[in-house]
Amino acid sequence: MAAASNYFPVANPTLPFWHSEEDSFKNLRSTPELPQETDILIIGGGYAGAAVGYWTYKEAGSTPPKVLMLEARFIGSGATGRNGGHLKPDYYREYLSFEKRFGQKDAASIGNFEHDHLAALKEAIEDLNIDCDFVLTRACNVHLTKGAVAGCLKAMQALRKNPYTKVLNDIQVQFGSNAEITSICEDSPLSLTFTAGHLWPYKMVKGFLQYCIEKGMNVQTYTTVTSIEKQKDGSYIVHTNRGSVKTKKVVLATNAYTAGLAPEFEDRIIPVKGTCSHIKVQDGDKPAPYLSNTYGICRDFTNHEYLINRPDGTVIVGGAKPYYLKDKDAWYKNVDDSTLFAGDVKGWYETFMQNHFYTWKDAKTEVDYLWTGILGYSADALPWIGESPDQSNKYIIGGFHGHGMPRIFLSAKAIAQMMLNNVPVQMTDIPVPFMLTAERLRNARNTVLKDTGFSKL
């Protein structure tokens, strides 16, 4: 099937902090040439693709299939290597919408699924002894406006009435001076904390792929898939810039770029450009005050920042939507992560910590890495997980809507189970609202401009 839109990775992407260390593994080619055929072909060398590979080998046992991974650029060059490194199951912010659309049980399943990622990823990282700076901690969301506070309280009130949720006892709400002390943010009338984690995303992916390679996976970087051709026998010919490969099953772990190879996802998975930064105390200044939590700075539903505190005292901060949201062409359906946004985004980040945390008031900070990345927003704000409704043996794992860290790993497990056992997505533990079905694909309407607040500008 030919490409529908020009949704392909560009050359020379901006350099994120997560790729600041020299590492030849990211350019891996397991063999000089592409194999002519394989059992499973995974398109995409990020978190989703690596997780599908990991679970495929875990679930297959002693007789694994032949697995080939193709990556258009280098390993972790997409959203995985450009995100905030934040494993944060904060679905409460969207809970009211979920309950209205899906009812209490299915709405609860989304939060439970996200929370389950904490233990699942911790176990896998420790089992493989992956050195990726993984820290299990608490996330602290601060709510700075009356609207943000009211929305939080309303969501929590509804959650307390949901008998299916497993996450309620993990959430603590603080008010007034307690909120200020907990958050170290004197402007916060309400803070909400819950279990979360943070890590070095590229190193996590590298660890999973090293495990897969030991089991037999062939990895080919700088190999751009240009089209996917269905054969009469149910297999596929995957065409690339380096030749073609025949495969029994194909997985599109391509997130924002999915519609480029699967035209049916045009306006179902939408590329959205965002920005992120690495902030450190200036050389020679006193060490930064350590933050014991990760953070969400919530002004309203669409205007918020996220922050993780690195073990070395530096921080990763992402957001800055006021600097680019009004310029639709700068971010909407834009796959160019080789350029930064216009405006003084760097200057805004350089005083971000002082402007929000009272323990940082006297710190002198600088932004040593500023980058952009392409997120795969979903038309209905939820991931697409499953087998293509009209093309058997073609699987999709994408559309994580900027919230993939607590949703990808166990979604990949479901994809592996579907492929190995030839079962539908309904026989996995995927939340029903995530399932790729013909009805959902047909009825989904692109509300990204509305949901991001652009339509109100």
Side-chain angles (χ1 to χ4, degrees), residues 86-104:
H86 207 174
L87 179 58
K88 183 182 180 185
D90 68 342
Y91 96 119
Y92 81 92
R93 296 182 63 245
E94 296 184 85
Y95 175 77
L96 292 172
S97 171
F98 293 154
E99 184 179 283
K100 182 179 180 180
R101 292 161 61 189
F102 308 118
Q104 284 187 325

Side-chain angles (χ1 to χ4, degrees), residues 86-91 111 114-119 122 134-140 166-172 192-198 293-294 406:
H86 207 174
L87 179 58
K88 183 182 180 185
D90 68 342
Y91 96 119
E114 290 188 12
H115 191 267
D116 288 346
H117 274 69
L118 295 167
K122 180 178 183 292
F134 176 71
V135 176
L136 193 64
T137 183
R138 298 283 286 180
C140 180
K166 298 191 300 184
V167 305
L168 190 60
N169 290 337
D170 185 52
I171 299 175
Q172 183 178 24
L192 184 148
T193 68
F194 47 91
T195 306
H198 56 88
N293 301 307
T294 65

Side-chain angles (χ1 to χ4, degrees), residues 141-164:
N141 278 3
V142 297
H143 301 75
L144 302 183
T145 64
K146 290 182 179 179
V149 170
C152 173
L153 294 177
K154 191 173 181 181
M156 289 305 300
Q157 184 179 29
L159 264 173
R160 291 188 181 100
K161 297 178 181 179
N162 190 327
Y164 303 102

Side-chain angles (χ1 to χ4, degrees), residues 48-78:
V52 169
Y54 168 84
W55 283 114
T56 297
Y57 287 110
K58 279 287 185 180
E59 296 287 308
S62 59
T63 56
K66 291 188 295 183
V67 183
L68 170 66
M69 171 180 282
L70 304 181
E71 164 56 46
R73 297 190 297 201
F74 51 89
I75 297 299
S77 61

Side-chain angles (χ1 to χ4, degrees), residues 290-319:
Y290 188 74
L291 299 174
S292 57
N293 301 307
T294 65
Y295 283 88
I297 309 297
C298 308
R299 295 178 181 84
D300 58 36
F301 180 73
T302 60
N303 184 7
H304 66 279
E305 284 78 44
Y306 52 87
L307 179 155
I308 70 165
N309 45 318
R310 295 264 307 127
D312 61 4
T314 62
V315 294
I316 302 288
V317 182

Side-chain angles (χ1 to χ4, degrees), residues 196-244:
H198 56 88
L199 48 78
W200 191 304
Y202 165 69
K203 291 183 178 180
M204 177 189 67
V205 167
K206 177 181 176 181
F208 286 141
L209 288 181
Q210 287 174 325
Y211 165 81
C212 293
I213 291 165
E214 290 176 1
K215 297 292 183 179
M217 176 185 277
N218 187 314
V219 176
Q220 298 286 330
T221 59
Y222 299 98
T223 305
T224 302
V225 175
T226 55
S227 63
I228 303 171
E229 182 182 353
K230 183 71 177 288
Q231 303 298 291
K232 292 182 179 180
D233 63 359
S235 65
Y236 289 88
I237 301 295
V238 176
H239 301 284
T240 82
N241 62 324
R242 297 175 56 219
S244 301

